[in-house]
Amino acid sequence: MLRDPSVKYRPFPQIDLPDRQWPSRTIVQPPRWLSTDLRDGNQALIDPMDAEKKTRMFDLLCKVGLKEIEVGFPSAGATEFDFISGLVQHGRIPDDVTIQVLTQSRRDLIEKSFESLKGAPRAIVHLYNAVSPAWRKIVFGMTRDEVRAIAIEGAKILRDCAADQPETDWTFEYSPETFSTAELDFSVEVCASVMEVLAPTPDRPIIFNLPATVECATPNIYADQIEWFGRNIPNRDSVVISLHTHNDRGTGVAAAELGMMAGADRVEGCLLGNGERTGNCDLVTVALNMYTQGVDPKLDFSDIDEIVNTVNYCTNIPVHPRTPYAGDLVFTAFSGSHQDAIKKGFAAQAERNDEVWEVPYLPIDPADLGRSYEAVIRVNSQSGKGGVAWVLEQDKGLKLPKRLQADFSRYVQAYADETSRELNAADIWQVFERTYLARDADRFALRDYEESGASGQRLFVGRVAVDGEERSISGRGNGLISGVIAALGDSTGPALDVVDYSEHAIGHGADAQAAAYVECRTAEGRIVFGVGLDTDIATASVRAVLSAANRA
């Protein structure tokens, strides 16, 4: 890399728009959406989609609610042409969906495009030619007038071909390709010339696609360009401004959002951002960004995993696990502090009486996208007590007291360090059982017990295996737990004082279990915890005390 990149690269010039309005605007309604997965996305693949994959992608696009779909480049080859004409001839286009095709401004290519659409009830033909200085100078060797003439000639051919197929309801789209690096006045000049030929009206507007063909500036520059164009194009009420951003600088989504604030009516892109080079605008991200601001995008992503799987299958491009909203790990927390905040957020959400979403670290409810809460918190060596407790609560229904959470997390962390991998719910339960729940190999194992006596003077009599030998132990106390502790103290057990006790039901109905948790202090001042599970809450309490005794 150069130490002084300014000798090779130039900063993109600012747009002279001192009274720009877009920074103070808010997106309050969805745009018209256009999917270009089957055209721009497809031509960016190492192995373009075959007919079966294109059909499967088309069905997905219709299912999520896209009403305008760019289905291909008919003049690119037989596969493209046959797929497009097949959609028309076999009646596979839903009544509320309009298909679109792309063509360069050449007579043979335009005529081929109209041929592929023969018999379609409605269609959009998208014409383009590049207008920027670099293309005029380097690629074409043409003047402004010559480039404008290409657009005008293409528009005339569009008009005439449409007149030859009056049974179809035609819409025209024109792109001053390379708009983002072209002079704004020239882009308006070319588009105005196209309008003169096609004569759009407010009832039958023309679509002007203003692409950031290569993203060369920050998103605010693109927004300025869109607002400037909208102010200066004649008959604005007969124009639909459409955005087609790329992601070369990593801000394709931001550019589209700011472009909408700048007055655009339509957004073009691909599901999950596939497209040439670094990709097109990600329609999923733009739509769900709106959704998290309370705006219905009019697209359905309630089964995000189906979308990911279909796109992956059709494109053979894996979705990065950190892809916004759709990646495997975007709703997952490994960090202990993150896990604790999320756990508390879900608890607060359950206690509130309103539906407003407010959970730390989660800008959207994963359930709205068909994701389960079980994947929100996952455990590795970086995890804390909150995450471990969350997994146990979700998997087993246990609601560990806070101090017990801290105690247990040490054992989980040690196991994670030992295994050097992420721990699943089964791993965590195994550690929990091994640490707290009674086993035959423990020093104290409950066989049976009875309780009697008046309140305040309870007698506990139990049959307990002590070091494998069954014994009868007994003790008196003001309640069941104190009676168990007295019985242990009178035999060979440790002397314990109860610091804290809690209990709760697991599940509902006749088959519900009970969980009891006890925190005790030994004669030496050490804190130990015990856990008991049973269908009977009293028995669970006894098991919890014996669990603490075993750990003491």
Side-chain angles (χ1 to χ4, degrees):
M1 293 178 63
L2 300 173
R3 297 278 66 83
D4 181 13
S6 67
V7 302
K8 188 173 183 179
Y9 302 101
R10 296 290 183 268
F12 200 91
Q14 296 288 317
I15 307 301
D16 185 16
L17 195 68
D19 61 339
R20 57 181 59 83
Q21 300 300 306
W22 65 261
S24 61
R25 293 177 182 155
T26 301
I27 298 171
V28 296
Q29 63 183 20
R32 287 170 57 174
W33 302 103
L34 173 86
S35 159
T36 187
D37 291 83
L38 292 167
R39 198 279 302 169
D40 200 340
N42 187 50
Q43 73 185 42
L45 300 177
I46 296 173
D47 297 310
M49 292 179 242
D50 58 20
E52 185 270 332
K53 288 183 176 180
K54 287 174 80 74
T55 299
R56 186 162 171 177
M57 178 66 81
F58 181 78
D59 290 342
L60 174 67
L61 298 171
C62 293
K63 183 176 181 180
V64 302
L66 284 149
K67 304 305 181 187
E68 298 177 25
I69 302 172
E70 193 166 60
V71 290
F73 205 136
S75 58
T79 299
E80 292 282 283
F81 185 94
D82 292 345
F83 171 72
I84 296 164
S85 62
L87 289 176
V88 175
Q89 300 305 321
H90 298 130
R92 301 211 61 247
I93 305 167
D95 291 340
D96 59 348
V97 171
T98 301
I99 62 171
Q100 173 174 307
V101 298
L102 181 71
T103 177
Q104 291 171 300
S105 187
R106 278 175 37 191
R107 176 175 293 276
D108 58 329
L109 305 183
I110 296 171
E111 290 176 347
K112 190 77 169 177
S113 299
F114 276 89
E115 184 184 347
S116 73
L117 295 167
K118 191 170 183 61
R122 77 205 69 80
I124 303 169
V125 181
H126 180 185
L127 175 77
Y128 76 94
N129 67 298
V131 301
S132 70
W135 280 74
R136 296 197 310 262
K137 177 178 64 176
I138 299 170
V139 181
F140 300 135
M142 289 183 174
T143 65
R144 278 191 175 197
D145 287 343
E146 290 171 321
V147 168
R148 184 175 62 253
I150 292 174
I152 292 171
E153 179 63 18
K156 290 177 179 177
I157 300 169
L158 281 187
R159 178 195 61 197
D160 296 343
C161 287
D164 290 340
Q165 295 179 214
E167 68 278 8
T168 298
D169 182 8
W170 297 105
T171 298
F172 301 124
E173 177 170 352
Y174 172 71
S175 291
E177 180 71 350
T178 63
F179 165 83
S180 58
T181 53
E183 307 94 335
L184 285 171
D185 63 331
F186 185 55
S187 293
V188 167
E189 182 183 328
V190 174
C191 289
S193 298
V194 170
M195 291 178 74
E196 290 177 7
V197 175
L198 297 175
T201 66
D203 293 332
R204 301 186 66 83
I206 186 171
I207 301 169
F208 283 138
N209 172 35
L210 307 179
T213 305
V214 177
E215 188 177 41
C216 294
T218 50
N220 61 296
I221 298 288
Y222 185 65
D224 282 349
Q225 292 172 323
I226 299 302
E227 184 170 334
W228 195 99
F229 183 94
R231 291 189 192 184
N232 289 277
I233 192 71
N235 302 319
R236 175 66 177 89
D237 60 352
S238 299
V239 170
V240 172
I241 293 180
S242 189
L243 308 176
H244 186 116
T245 60
H246 281 93
N247 203 42
D248 300 273
R249 291 170 55 92
T251 55
V253 165
E257 291 179 324
L258 268 56
M260 282 188 281
M261 293 161 59
D265 310 291
R266 187 175 185 248
V267 171
E268 306 182 7
C270 294
L271 298 181
L272 305 174
N274 180 37
E276 296 162 311
R277 302 180 309 282
T278 56
N280 286 13
C281 174
D282 179 355
L283 296 185
V284 174
T285 299
V286 177
L288 291 179
N289 282 353
M290 287 183 202
Y291 183 82
T292 64
Q293 302 302 301
V295 177
D296 181 3
K298 305 299 183 184
L299 296 176
D300 182 4
F301 297 127
S302 57
D303 190 350
I304 197 70
D305 288 333
E306 179 192 12
I307 293 165
V308 169
N309 293 336
T310 303
V311 171
N312 186 8
Y313 169 76
C314 293
T315 64
N316 201 29
I317 296 177
V319 174
H320 194 282
R322 300 295 181 189
T323 299
Y325 302 108
D328 282 345
L329 298 179
V330 295
F331 301 123
T332 300
F334 292 104
S335 161
S337 60
H338 290 208
Q339 293 174 342
D340 186 59
I342 291 170
K343 179 176 179 291
K344 290 175 179 175
F346 274 117
Q349 194 79 17
E351 292 174 4
R352 288 205 309 270
N353 292 324
D354 60 60
E355 296 181 1
V356 177
W357 180 253
E358 189 179 18
V359 175
Y361 293 112
L362 295 179
I364 192 172
D365 185 346
D368 288 355
L369 306 181
R371 291 276 176 87
S372 69
Y373 295 129
E374 296 169 6
V376 170
I377 291 177
R378 289 159 61 175
V379 175
N380 62 16
S381 60
Q382 301 298 309
S383 304
K385 64 182 185 299
V388 172
W390 165 267
V391 173
L392 268 184
E393 182 173 348
Q394 297 303 302
D395 189 52
K396 298 295 183 181
L398 299 181
K399 301 176 182 178
L400 306 189
K402 195 166 185 178
R403 286 167 60 84
L404 177 55
Q405 293 177 24
D407 186 70
F408 179 47
S409 69
R410 294 184 296 114
Y411 295 92
V412 174
Q413 217 162 16
Y415 187 63
D417 286 334
E418 176 188 332
T419 57
S420 299
R421 63 174 173 83
E422 179 189 348
L423 304 185
N424 58 34
D427 294 323
I428 293 170
W429 178 243
Q430 182 183 21
V431 175
F432 188 82
E433 280 189 307
R434 186 171 63 223
T435 306
Y436 300 105
L437 300 186
R439 298 167 297 173
D440 288 339
D442 289 334
R443 184 169 190 209
F444 301 102
L446 180 66
R447 295 291 184 259
D448 197 7
Y449 77 95
E450 292 180 356
E451 184 189 16
S452 60
S455 176
Q457 276 295 319
R458 306 294 291 172
L459 173 65
F460 168 83
V461 178
R463 287 190 299 112
V464 176
V466 181
D467 295 327
E469 179 184 341
E470 191 169 306
R471 300 183 187 179
S472 178
I473 62 173
S474 62
R476 291 185 181 274
N478 59 9
L480 176 60
I481 290 177
S482 58
V484 177
I485 287 176
L488 288 170
D490 290 344
S491 58
T492 59
L496 299 173
D497 285 327
V498 175
V499 176
D500 188 43
Y501 171 84
S502 62
E503 62 186 40
H504 66 81
I506 304 173
H508 304 281
D511 296 330
Q513 271 203 315
Y517 312 100
V518 65
E519 179 182 350
C520 298
R521 182 182 291 109
T522 68
E524 298 80 21
R526 186 162 61 92
I527 294 295
V528 292
F529 294 86
V531 179
L533 303 178
D534 200 273
T535 54
D536 174 65
I537 187 59
T539 304
S541 302
V542 176
R543 294 187 185 282
V545 174
L546 293 179
S547 168
N550 286 324
R551 302 192 71 234

